[in-house]
Amino acid sequence: MDWNHYRFHSLWPLPAPPAAVYAVLERPEDYPRWWPQVRSVTRLDDSTGILTIRSALPYAMTFTARATRRDPAAGILEITMSGDIEGWARWTVTAAGPGTLARYDQEVDVRKPLLRRLAVPGRAVFRVNHRLMMRAGHRGLLRRLRAV
């Protein structure tokens, strides 16, 4: 088992149409306005940016995100990441009853040296930290969608 390899999966039910959810998710430069753990997003060009995230634990992670797929018709937004974490992440936005289901999938390898050293004893804590970040993101997106 590679203790620095992670797969994450989250489902966010949202009371808004898929197009509205997609429109918010496709603007990562606005994420810090509604997702507290996304500390900064600096756009480098139309498909690349540098993000810094920090959840409950006292460390930040910075990585470059590059859009690899943007398909509004299929409801898919996908990026590759390099830096403190390397891998990919994907939003899949679909209709669900009167609202939307936003599915988040991520597969990454941790490259940040401190986290690599703490991989075995810290793995469970790192997973909880990610879960807390995703929970806060879901709540923030709910508020954001109600405001627009």
Side-chain angles (χ1 to χ4, degrees), residues 69-105:
R69 185 170 178 198
R70 179 179 274 166
D71 186 343
I76 295 175
L77 294 163
E78 188 172 292
I79 62 168
T80 58
M81 297 172 280
S82 60
D84 288 343
I85 53 176
E86 293 188 8
W88 60 270
R90 178 187 316 116
W91 285 109
T92 306
V93 178
T94 56
T100 296
L101 184 63
R103 176 185 170 133
Y104 181 80
D105 294 290

Side-chain angles (χ1 to χ4, degrees), residues 6-60:
Y6 292 85
R7 287 184 182 151
F8 298 108
H9 172 77
S10 297
L11 295 173
W12 294 2
L14 300 159
V21 173
Y22 189 94
V24 173
L25 292 176
E26 75 174 339
R27 297 186 47 80
E29 63 275 13
D30 291 342
Y31 282 26
R33 294 181 183 160
W34 57 267
W35 197 338
Q37 291 78 14
V38 178
R39 300 302 173 100
S40 68
V41 177
T42 304
R43 273 227 187 244
L44 300 177
D45 59 36
D46 286 344
S47 64
T48 310
I50 298 173
L51 286 80
T52 298
I53 59 173
R54 180 176 173 196
S55 191
L57 295 176
Y59 64 85

Side-chain angles (χ1 to χ4, degrees), residues 11-16 21 24-25 34-35 100 134-148:
L11 295 173
W12 294 2
L14 300 159
V21 173
V24 173
L25 292 176
W34 57 267
W35 197 338
T100 296
M134 296 306 290
R135 185 178 307 152
H138 184 208
R139 285 192 308 260
L141 183 54
L142 283 166
R143 285 190 300 273
R144 176 78 173 178
L145 290 167
R146 289 182 184 122
V148 290

